Amino acid sequence: MPIPLRLAPLALVIALVGCQPAPPPSASPEAAPAVPQPVLATYADTLAMRAYEASGGLEAWASVPFLRFDFGVERDGERSVFRHHLWDRQTGAYRVEWSPGEDTTYVAVFDVDTQDGDVYLNGDPVTAEVKPDLMAQAYRAYINDTYWMLFPIKLMDEGVNRTYMPDSSQGTTEVIHLTFGNVGMTPGDQYWATIDAATGQVTDWSFVLQSRPEGPARAYTWTDYVTLEAPGGPIEVAQRKQAAGGGVALLTDNVAVLTEVTAEQFAQPTAWLGS
């Protein structure tokens, strides 16, 4: 994937749902560089930007120092965590912890731009033979899990084609269709984002994967929005995505904006985010 966080590999998360789960920057927003403003050429662009603003807006998100969250699933009322995440939004450093089995915990610390880093198994460096596969797994988790959480602020990304869907829109909601240029791991995927006409929040999304172009579209309702304080202003994220028909929900919860994480904490080879 040449451009980080452009497009989530939704096939990965669908597979997960269908089986068992597997020094700090200045806090002053005035110290942050000016955030480029996107060009709004169409009504779909305007709706996408409204969703971004409803999630906090450009300046607030640009000011976030460290973002921490869990990614998991709730099935029949029982919550399971797949992965724990910590992201240095200023430098691009990333940490993800996951346990594929009992008494087995992986920790990956890497740079989201270069994908260089280290992977540890129960606190010890993994062997050179397995490190590439584990690092690729950690990077896919970063792409997939952050996209499920941050979709509203990804609507204006370069390479995203936005089209207004008047036939699907109603008095209280409006819909935009997203396709993609030559970006992301699965540029053939398609998304439909339903946006609340009053608040600008994303209320639902549905998608068709390039691996399953015949569909049907998979739909999720976005709920449990939480407001967090960032140095540049409040941000909002939906912590629950409920699958149509009930039963299963994807979770991007335990979200926190952290203003300080030490270098030792970030690079620690043993797991601590889930404690």
Side-chain angles (χ1 to χ4, degrees):
M1 170 142 182
I3 304 176
L5 199 54
R6 296 302 186 198
L7 192 59
L10 286 170
L12 169 64
V13 76
I14 290 167
L16 287 171
V17 172
C19 62
Q20 292 299 317
S26 169
S28 170
E30 289 79 15
V35 178
Q37 300 295 311
V39 176
L40 306 181
T42 68
Y43 186 57
D45 293 347
T46 300
L47 289 175
M49 197 62 205
R50 282 201 66 209
Y52 198 151
E53 293 295 338
S55 296
L58 298 171
E59 299 290 346
W61 276 101
S63 76
V64 173
F66 299 94
L67 188 66
R68 181 253 182 274
F69 72 99
D70 290 341
F71 181 81
V73 65
E74 181 182 286
R75 181 183 288 106
D76 298 326
E78 184 173 344
R79 178 178 181 272
S80 300
V81 177
F82 294 151
R83 292 176 285 272
H84 306 282
H85 294 264
L86 178 64
W87 187 4
D88 185 335
R89 294 261 302 166
Q90 307 295 327
T91 69
Y94 207 90
R95 177 185 180 92
V96 59
E97 305 172 1
W98 73 100
S99 296
E102 190 174 355
D103 300 324
T104 302
T105 302
Y106 287 104
V107 173
V109 181
F110 58 96
D111 184 289
V112 298
D113 296 318
T114 66
Q115 301 180 46
D116 293 331
D118 296 295
V119 184
Y120 304 92
L121 170 60
N122 295 340
D124 296 320
V126 299
T127 64
E129 290 76 15
V130 301
K131 180 179 177 180
D133 286 343
L134 289 168
M135 187 61 72
Q137 182 177 343
Y139 184 74
R140 288 195 301 269
Y142 149 69
I143 293 292
N144 184 84
D145 300 1
T146 54
Y147 198 76
W148 272 86
M149 183 172 66
L150 301 181
F151 174 70
I153 75 169
K154 304 305 295 173
L155 293 170
M156 295 302 297
D157 273 359
E158 181 181 356
V160 179
N161 308 308
R162 295 164 292 272
T163 305
Y164 178 55
M165 303 292 291
D167 293 341
S168 299
S169 299
Q170 303 175 14
T172 58
T173 58
E174 299 189 275
V175 178
I176 55 176
H177 178 213
L178 308 177
T179 58
F180 303 87
N182 188 26
V183 296
M185 292 179 171
T186 52
D189 291 354
Q190 300 182 65
Y191 297 79
W192 290 262
T194 302
I195 298 170
D196 188 288
T199 67
Q201 284 185 335
V202 172
T203 64
D204 303 83
W205 78 351
S206 59
F207 50 83
V208 172
L209 306 178
Q210 71 171 27
S211 61
R212 304 171 187 175
E214 70 284 355
R218 296 170 181 260
Y220 290 79
T221 298
W222 288 44
T223 64
D224 291 11
Y225 273 88
V226 61
T227 302
L228 306 168
E229 291 299 326
I235 61 173
E236 290 196 358
V237 295
Q239 297 187 102
R240 181 185 183 89
K241 287 81 178 181
Q242 181 72 51
V248 175
L250 265 293
L251 306 177
T252 52
D253 60 3
N254 285 338
V255 188
V257 173
L258 306 180
T259 58
E260 184 172 357
V261 177
T262 67
E264 290 77 15
Q265 281 179 302
F266 209 98
Q268 181 177 315
T270 54
W272 62 272
L273 288 174
S275 60

